[in-house]
Amino acid sequence: MNMDPETIAAAAFVLSLRERGLRDKAVLGAMERVPRELFAPRRFADLSRRDVALPLPLGQTMTAPFSVAVMLTALAVQPGDSVLEIGAGSGYVSALLARLGAKVVSVERYAALADGAAMRFAELGITDAIEISVRDGLTMRTGERFERILLNGALPALPDDVTRLLSPGGRLVGALNGETGPRLVSVDADLQGKLRTACGADLRIAPLIQAETAVPTARLRSASPAAEAGPRSAG
C-alpha cells in the first residue's frame, strides 16, 4: 500500500520519539495526528518534524517535540479532563491536548499569537475543545478549578496563584529553573487539596515570563479574534 509523503513523515517523526524512550501511546498518537508544520513559522516548516525548538513571533519559542512529549506524558491527561494551559504560543500543545480528549482552557500573553492559534484550531476542526484567552496566566483570578494544569515554560518558583487552581486529585506539570537549567516538575493535589511536588529530568524549554503589569481578563472562543495583550509562550 502506497502512503503519501505527509503520512510517512508523521510516522517517522513519532518513531524518532519512540527511539528516545517515549512509550505513551496516547501522546505519540496525538503527535502523529497533529501536524507540527501547521503551527511552525512558514520559513521553518522544513524543521517542524525535527526535535528542535523553533522561534515564534514576538520573541517567543515553540518548544522542541521531545520536551513537549515528556511534559504531556507526565501530565497524564484523561479524556474529559479540564486542562488549563498557560503559554499557548503557536497553539501546537493546545491542539495536542485536544486530541488527547481534554477540555482545554488556554491562555496567551500576546494577542497576535492567540489570533494565529485560533485560526489553526479552526483549520483542524477542534475549536469546540479549546477556549483561548489573552491574559497573564500566572496571576489569573478565576473561580474555576482544573484537573490538569500545564505550564509551557520554566519558572524560578511555582506561583500560588497557579497551584490554587488545581482541583482535588489534580496535577500540574511545568519546569523549574535549577543550577543546571530547567527541570521537569509535577505537583499533585490530594483529595484534601494538600500539594506534593516532585522534580524530574532536565528539560529543554524557554522561560515563562510574568507580565510586568496586569492585563484585562479578555476571554474568547478559539474561532474568534483575540482581544488584548497580558507569560512568555513556549507552545
Side-chain angles (χ1 to χ4, degrees):
M1 181 178 65
N2 293 327
M3 292 192 296
D4 63 85
E6 185 176 326
T7 301
I8 294 172
F13 174 62
V14 170
L15 180 60
S16 70
L17 296 174
R18 285 182 59 87
E19 288 174 344
R20 295 188 61 184
L22 293 169
R23 293 290 183 267
D24 190 301
K25 291 182 179 179
V27 170
L28 292 172
M31 298 187 83
E32 185 172 12
R33 294 170 61 200
V34 175
R36 190 171 183 244
E37 61 271 19
L38 176 64
F39 295 85
R42 188 169 301 175
R43 67 186 184 279
F44 298 117
D46 60 326
L47 300 175
S48 61
R49 294 288 186 177
R50 296 177 61 182
D51 188 34
V52 293
L54 298 175
L56 294 173
L58 302 166
Q60 307 309 292
T61 306
M62 190 176 186
T63 305
F66 183 78
S67 295
V68 170
V70 168
M71 295 179 77
L72 291 180
T73 298
L75 196 62
V77 173
Q78 300 300 313
D81 278 352
S82 59
V83 179
L84 171 64
E85 179 198 21
I86 298 177
S90 69
Y92 176 62
V93 179
S94 316
L96 292 173
L97 289 167
R99 291 300 190 203
L100 289 168
K103 297 176 291 185
V104 186
V105 174
S106 184
V107 297
E108 169 52 48
R109 179 179 177 181
Y110 293 104
L113 292 179
D115 280 343
M119 289 188 290
R120 297 178 191 106
F121 302 155
E123 186 171 341
L124 291 176
I126 55 176
T127 57
D128 288 344
I130 305 171
E131 179 182 289
I132 188 165
S133 64
V134 181
R135 67 169 99 181
D136 180 2
L138 298 178
T139 58
M140 285 177 60
R141 295 290 185 269
T142 176
E144 294 180 80
R145 295 295 179 268
F146 300 90
E147 290 156 309
R148 296 290 187 268
I149 298 176
L150 181 65
L151 296 170
N152 276 326
L155 291 166
L158 297 176
D160 291 340
D161 283 343
V162 175
T163 56
R164 70 176 180 80
L165 300 178
L166 271 179
S167 62
R171 173 176 293 179
L172 176 151
V173 169
L176 286 178
N177 293 320
E179 293 182 1
T180 59
R183 294 185 63 188
L184 182 73
V185 63
S186 61
V187 178
D188 289 294
D190 64 20
L191 296 181
Q192 287 71 47
K194 185 177 180 179
L195 303 180
R196 179 173 56 86
T197 302
C199 286
D202 292 345
L203 205 61
R204 287 189 298 154
I205 195 166
L208 193 60
I209 300 174
Q210 184 173 322
E212 294 181 1
T213 58
V215 296
T217 308
R219 293 181 74 90
L220 59 150
R221 294 298 299 177
S222 58
S224 305
E228 303 176 33
R232 173 167 175 176
S233 308

